[in-house]
Amino acid sequence: MQSASSSSRDVKPRDRRESPDNAGTRVALVLDAGGARSAYQVGALEVLLPALAESGTRPCVLIGTSAGALLSGVLAATAHLEAGEQVARLRDVLDQATKRHVMRPLWRQVPEVLARYTSETLGLSFFRLRGLFGTQPLARTLAQSIDWEALHRNVEEGVVDVAAVTATSVRTGRVVVFTESASPIPRAAPEYHGRFVATRLQVSHLMASAAIPALFPSVRVDEPAEAAGWYVDGATRRREPLAPALELGADRIMVVGTGALRPPDQDLDLDGVAVDLGDGGATLLGAVMDDPLRHDLRRLAEVNAMTQDAELAPSLRRHREGRGQSAYRTVPYVAVAPEDGEELARAAMEVFRANHGSLLRTLGDPDMQIMHRLLGSDSPLQGELLSYLLFDPDFFDAASEFGRRDAQRWVEDHPDLWRTEGLPEPAS
């Protein structure tokens, strides 16, 4: 396995100069959750990061959640490189994130899962079942593929102002933003359901952020001591994905999601179709992955409109100051996420049928077929679930191509990259 640090001395460092128009601009890159769908984000970044570099700036605040946290770690470790080389390293890491480098084979876990489940049933708390899939391979992959010393050095030298990942405390449900920065970190605003914790990022922080509840084991974080405890996926309780970037003083936000940018069309006839476990899981994932980002982008556009209203802005500023809060400000944004929420699901089903549907393929690697059956193989939403768990190179290729296409479309529609108003309505 190639380390992200390999041959880094042979690569030309990033030119840190900024154009006069963008001097001092604090750009945040927010990467949302998505599991195997993170390949979509990699494809989008292959377009967006070079476009941002051409405009004379770069993301200096990196915030990731779940799979987005893993990508943020790679970007923080390679932030000293040119944008083209940085996305190439990102792609290298994605190519390593196949199933055997992410989770243990199910057949090897059955005895342990049964033993832990029996222990829970008998009330023996010292041998708890914390997840169905062992993720020890993912921990090894992160340790080897991310140049952790380069990450810390980039933060210390100011190449990256902030590298942060979000995780959810199992016991309290509070969102914790583990934040590495050379500068003091802010106290979260009272309305933000979370807190920033200064730390030196480690594998455990990224693993905690990506621990999908029930599927992946919860992760024990020991550092820093003030936030020690058990954590799961940062997407499970985060209500405002863009809030940490704003709290950290971002002047502009670039966000890449993996859920649908717009809600699906309503087909009321589907409400009468029988459902199973897979449908329930897909509905839950949609609520966690899609809705918060859509809501936050809409709210950001509404605040931008108010700050640009000459009559409303002064009274809004006085109202905020009277409550001891900082004034709202206009924050331009880039938002790339799938327009068609079912496109990735269809691609996942096609790859599954091609690579895991035959008897021969099932005998060689039964895990995906077993998971497919357990979650309800006839579910119309089965592809939605598989798209989060299908760590398959062919699915990565399809998803990343979608990301490149959507990011290129954004760049073509926004020559200066940025937007302040709400997203346009889809064409009828």
Side-chain angles (χ1 to χ4, degrees):
M1 180 181 299
Q2 180 183 1
S3 168
S5 63
S6 63
S7 71
S8 62
R9 292 187 296 274
D10 300 327
V11 178
K12 181 182 177 182
R14 179 199 295 272
D15 185 349
R16 301 183 197 173
R17 293 174 297 176
E18 297 177 332
S19 70
D21 292 341
N22 293 318
T25 301
R26 194 174 174 89
V27 177
L29 175 60
V30 178
L31 298 177
D32 211 12
R37 287 178 171 225
S38 60
Y40 176 94
Q41 296 171 307
V42 173
L45 291 172
E46 287 176 340
V47 174
L48 294 177
L49 289 182
L52 195 60
E54 289 178 8
S55 73
T57 188
R58 59 182 174 82
C60 61
V61 176
L62 302 173
I63 303 173
T65 299
S66 193
L70 313 186
L71 299 183
S72 292
V74 177
L75 291 172
T78 57
H80 58 289
L81 304 178
E82 295 283 1
E85 179 61 24
Q86 194 177 18
V87 295
R89 296 293 178 83
L90 196 63
R91 182 72 198 206
D92 287 343
V93 174
L94 173 67
D95 290 342
Q96 297 171 30
T98 53
K99 176 176 161 292
R100 69 188 183 92
H101 291 138
V102 173
M103 61 182 75
R104 293 175 62 196
L106 279 173
W107 64 268
R108 293 182 59 184
Q109 297 173 205
V110 170
E112 179 180 343
V113 169
L114 290 176
R116 289 184 180 276
Y117 184 77
T118 301
S119 175
E120 294 269 18
T121 304
L122 298 176
L124 304 177
S125 60
F126 62 86
F127 200 50
R128 295 181 182 274
L129 178 63
R130 297 190 175 92
L132 295 178
F133 299 95
T135 53
Q136 297 91 333
L138 178 58
R140 290 193 295 269
T141 299
L142 293 176
Q144 297 172 17
S145 62
I146 295 178
D147 186 340
W148 290 93
E149 289 307 313
L151 186 157
H152 303 316
R153 185 169 58 251
N154 284 339
V155 174
E156 291 169 0
E157 295 178 356
V159 179
V160 173
D161 292 343
V162 176
V165 301
T166 62
T168 304
S169 170
V170 174
R171 293 299 185 188
T172 66
R174 192 167 181 81
V175 175
V176 174
V177 185
F178 292 105
T179 308
E180 182 164 349
S181 175
S183 304
I185 61 174
R187 294 184 61 185
E191 61 266 26
Y192 173 53
H193 181 72
R195 63 174 177 140
F196 295 95
V197 175
T199 192
R200 185 177 171 90
L201 290 178
Q202 304 172 15
V203 171
S204 61
H205 299 113
L206 274 60
M207 290 291 293
S209 182
I212 302 173
L215 295 179
F216 293 165
S218 52
V219 175
R220 171 78 186 185
V221 172
D222 294 317
E223 297 292 340
E226 65 180 281
W230 292 94
Y231 291 88
V232 291
D233 198 309
T236 54
R237 293 293 293 271
R238 60 95 170 86
R239 301 169 183 170
E240 299 170 321
L242 305 183
L246 295 172
E247 294 290 331
L248 289 165
D251 301 307
R252 300 182 183 187
I253 296 177
M254 177 177 285
V255 56
V256 185
T258 64
L261 201 55
R262 294 181 176 85
D265 296 332
Q266 297 296 315
D267 184 351
L268 299 182
D269 292 337
L270 290 177
D271 289 338
V273 178
V275 299
D276 57 21
L277 179 63
D279 295 308
T283 300
L284 177 61
L285 278 173
V288 170
M289 302 297 182
D290 301 2
D291 298 348
L293 181 57
R294 285 201 297 259
H295 168 79
D296 238 15
L297 285 170
R298 183 170 60 249
R299 183 172 182 270
L300 178 62
E302 291 171 351
V303 172
N304 283 343
M306 290 189 292
T307 60
Q308 295 170 335
D309 187 318
E311 296 183 359
L312 181 61
S315 59
L316 180 63
R317 183 174 60 253
R318 289 192 297 270
H319 171 74
R320 294 280 295 178
E321 291 173 350
R323 299 178 61 185
Q325 299 171 328
S326 59
Y328 284 134
R329 52 200 169 85
T330 301
V331 179
Y333 68 92
V334 172
V336 174
E339 290 281 346
D340 180 357
E342 298 181 1
E343 190 172 45
L344 286 168
R346 290 193 296 269
M349 283 303 304
E350 290 173 4
V351 171
F352 172 79
R353 293 190 181 106
N355 293 356
H356 306 277
S358 69
L359 176 61
L360 183 61
R361 296 292 184 102
T362 298
L363 292 175
D365 181 6
D367 288 1
M368 292 306 302
Q369 190 63 243
I370 293 173
M371 195 163 26
H372 179 55
R373 298 295 176 184
L374 287 175
L375 295 175
S377 57
D378 295 328
S379 165
L381 298 179
Q382 179 68 195
E384 183 84 7
L385 284 173
L386 285 175
S387 67
Y388 290 95
L389 298 171
L390 193 60
F391 297 95
D392 184 298
D394 290 337
F395 178 64
F396 289 166
D397 288 343
S400 60
E401 179 56 36
F402 296 151
R404 282 190 294 272
R405 178 204 61 197
D406 292 347
Q408 188 61 47
R409 183 181 300 155
W410 180 280
V411 171
E412 292 171 356
D413 293 342
H414 303 83
D416 66 347
L417 287 184
W418 305 102
R419 185 183 186 91
T420 58
E421 65 272 24
L423 294 171
E425 293 297 323
S428 57

